[in-house]
Amino acid sequence: MSATPTGGAATTAPSTAANDAATVKACADIKKDIKDNAAKVTKAEKIGPPAGHFAVSAQWAAGSVAILAHAIGANEAVTAASEKIQNEMMALSDAYNKSADAKPSKKALEAAVKELDTACSAA
């Protein structure tokens, strides 16, 4: 009988540890994605008019896809924060796509990144 509780506990522990490891990895990857994307957006912004806004738009969209890809397997809080970041990146992409003179605010994206930082700290 003592083998059953031990076996049960051992069965749940690796699952939790695997989820935690996946969340920690997702946090590291997503934070790297955000930093890499910021550098690429800065480079794309240097292209300037008339077509530079398309490059910036495309980079925001590409960055958002990387965020979602790396959120797979993370805990619920990190996944939710990642989705907010992805949505804000797509909103920025749309804004740049609509206008060569776009100067959209990044405050909502910054708030979403802070939410991710909080979620990752709790992981």
Side-chain angles (χ1 to χ4, degrees):
M1 281 194 164
S2 64
T4 303
T6 305
T11 309
T12 56
S15 174
T16 303
N19 287 343
D20 291 345
T23 297
V24 169
K25 181 173 180 355
C27 286
D29 289 346
I30 293 166
K31 288 178 182 184
K32 183 179 182 304
D33 291 337
I34 292 167
K35 185 177 180 181
D36 289 349
N37 191 66
K40 290 175 182 175
V41 164
T42 298
K43 186 175 179 182
E45 286 174 335
K46 290 179 182 175
I47 295 170
H53 66 290
F54 292 121
V56 175
S57 173
Q59 186 53 54
W60 279 116
S64 75
V65 173
I67 299 292
L68 285 183
H70 285 128
I72 295 171
N75 70 22
E76 190 174 319
V78 170
T79 300
S82 298
E83 287 175 0
K84 287 182 182 179
I85 292 170
Q86 187 272 336
N87 288 336
E88 294 306 325
M89 285 181 157
M90 284 307 298
L92 289 167
S93 173
D94 291 344
Y96 279 99
N97 195 40
K98 289 177 186 172
S99 170
D101 299 320
K103 298 285 185 218
S105 172
K106 295 178 185 150
K107 287 186 188 274
L109 175 61
E110 291 165 2
V113 170
K114 284 182 184 177
E115 188 174 320
L116 176 74
D117 289 342
T118 300
C120 288
S121 294

